[in-house]
Amino acid sequence: MRYTKSRNSARLCSYTPPNGNPNKFFNVLGSIFGTVPFDPIGESDCFTLNDNFVPGQPFQETLSEDNVSWRLGADYQATSTTLVYANVSRGYKAGSFPTLSAATYRSLRPVTQESVTAYEAGIKTTFADRLIGLNAAAFYYDYKDKQVRGKIIDTPNVFGVLDALVNVPKSRVLGAEAEITIRPTTGLVIGLSGTYLDSKITNYSGDYSFTGQPVDFSGSPLPFTSKWSGAVNIDYRHELPSGGTPFIGVSVNARSSSDAALGGRTIAYPASPATVVKPGVTYPFAIDGYATVDARLGYEARDGAWKVMLWGKNIFNEYYWTAVSPGSDSASRLAGRPATYGITFGFEFQ
């Protein structure tokens, strides 16, 4: 068990650069939306609108939190080659204040700490005279106030819907994973692994991209959680009479589709002559599933004195993206690396 108490004080505001014009614009906003009189701000002054929608006053707040994290587990050595285990634990991620250019106080308010209660049970074993090894586990994660990138309306609605870190009151992940290693013959090692994740938001209503209307996200998956992922790895080494060892290997990594934002597979850009979307893209915040193949070929001298390896990553040049960077009216994909080849040479001093 561990007890943690934290105190985080912030004094935040966005400032007009010297010879800039934001102060003029926010003076106008303050005169339109402000509920109290204010002195117009000048160059280099704080322009973020406060709760009265007038500029000039930095946002100040203190976030005080405490928690008790803990873990309870049990291992059982069923046989000389089989271990069964189970554990339950609770952990926390600290709350924080954002660091960004904010038009209003709402964008500067902190997210509070998130907690997860994790339940896990699994097995680690070998059989067939240790030629086959198996690790497998099932788990359930119960989140409260999970910190997720979401949307807020920057009231007064001047800049529309903005990205922000938000607290999702309740969400969970149900999953299982397994890894098997097979050594069918001398020098050959085959590795197989797979993961299943069923993530779900069970309670959260937030602002929706582009429309500014509140939406119930209950039932939506958490961002960046592919339901299926897995890998196959095959390596073969053959020691020669001279003591040298040529080797060859190939790896395949794959994962299914996921969302880059809350409700990503349902968010479409509004139909408009001014909207430019890549042909064939309906939901820009959806990440398609993909698979990549890596390969390697090399030679290692006796006792590992030196080694040379020719390698290739994503050798079939699969186009895929790992994330989407969203803005208030645009989004860009962060693409994975294309086919990449290289040679590595290493040696060991005796």
Side-chain angles (χ1 to χ4, degrees), residues 273-334:
T275 301
V276 179
V277 181
K278 181 179 178 180
V281 175
T282 302
Y283 303 109
F285 297 105
I287 301 176
D288 288 348
Y290 61 89
T292 59
V293 180
D294 303 337
R296 50 208 169 269
L297 175 68
Y299 178 84
E300 183 176 319
R302 179 192 294 270
D303 300 325
W306 57 270
K307 180 170 69 174
V308 62
M309 180 174 65
L310 177 67
W311 52 264
K313 296 182 181 295
N314 191 14
I315 59 175
F316 295 113
N317 202 32
E318 173 77 2
Y319 172 70
Y320 66 99
W321 59 99
T322 58
V324 179
S325 179
S328 60
D329 59 357
S330 63
S332 58
R333 290 173 172 173
L334 304 182

Side-chain angles (χ1 to χ4, degrees), residues 228-298:
W228 296 98
S229 62
V232 178
N233 188 76
I234 303 174
D235 281 295
Y236 179 69
R237 299 169 60 88
H238 178 70
E239 186 173 345
L240 302 174
S242 63
T245 305
F247 58 89
I248 188 171
V250 62
S251 301
V252 180
N253 292 276
R255 62 180 56 245
S256 61
S257 61
S258 62
D259 290 351
L262 289 174
R265 66 193 62 183
T266 64
I267 299 176
Y269 276 109
S272 166
T275 301
V276 179
V277 181
K278 181 179 178 180
V281 175
T282 302
Y283 303 109
F285 297 105
I287 301 176
D288 288 348
Y290 61 89
T292 59
V293 180
D294 303 337
R296 50 208 169 269
L297 175 68

Side-chain angles (χ1 to χ4, degrees), residues 51-287:
D51 289 332
N52 294 315
F53 302 122
V54 297
Q57 180 182 1
F59 172 84
Q60 298 187 72
E61 190 170 307
T62 298
L63 181 65
S64 296
E65 298 178 313
D66 64 346
N67 61 70
V68 177
S69 56
W70 49 267
R71 180 180 184 275
L72 175 66
D75 296 340
Y76 175 62
Q77 193 75 41
T79 70
S80 60
T81 60
T82 301
L83 173 72
V84 180
Y85 67 92
N87 59 66
V88 58
S89 61
R90 177 169 295 171
Y92 292 84
K93 181 179 180 180
S96 64
F97 290 90
T99 303
L100 46 76
S101 180
T104 70
Y105 275 13
R106 187 179 183 193
S107 295
L108 296 176
R109 302 198 186 280
V111 288
T112 57
Q113 65 183 359
E114 72 172 58
S115 70
V116 58
T117 304
Y119 306 86
E120 181 180 358
I123 184 173
K124 299 177 183 290
T125 185
T126 61
F127 44 93
D129 197 24
R130 299 183 185 274
L131 295 180
I132 300 177
L134 172 67
N135 297 332
F139 49 87
Y140 180 83
Y141 298 156
D142 182 15
Y143 289 97
K144 292 184 178 179
D145 294 324
K146 183 169 180 60
Q147 299 171 13
V148 175
R149 185 165 183 168
K151 305 285 185 180
I152 63 170
I153 299 175
D154 197 28
T155 307
N157 195 357
V158 176
F159 298 100
V161 181
L162 304 179
D163 277 71
L165 201 60
V166 299
N167 285 114
V168 172
K170 290 183 69 72
S171 57
R172 58 90 171 149
V173 175
L174 175 67
E177 59 185 3
E179 177 183 0
I180 187 169
T181 304
I182 307 172
R183 295 176 172 84
T185 186
T186 303
L188 178 61
V189 180
I190 302 173
L192 307 168
S193 63
T195 300
Y196 169 78
L197 293 177
D198 180 21
S199 69
K200 183 180 294 185
I201 294 172
T202 55
N203 179 20
Y204 176 66
S205 293
D207 298 325
Y208 190 79
S209 184
F210 309 124
T211 67
Q213 299 300 315
V215 169
D216 184 2
F217 286 98
S218 299
S220 299
L222 291 167
F224 302 106
T225 53
S226 298
K227 181 157 286 191
W228 296 98
S229 62
V232 178
N233 188 76
I234 303 174
D235 281 295
Y236 179 69
R237 299 169 60 88
H238 178 70
E239 186 173 345
L240 302 174
S242 63
T245 305
F247 58 89
I248 188 171
V250 62
S251 301
V252 180
N253 292 276
R255 62 180 56 245
S256 61
S257 61
S258 62
D259 290 351
L262 289 174
R265 66 193 62 183
T266 64
I267 299 176
Y269 276 109
S272 166
T275 301
V276 179
V277 181
K278 181 179 178 180
V281 175
T282 302
Y283 303 109
F285 297 105
I287 301 176

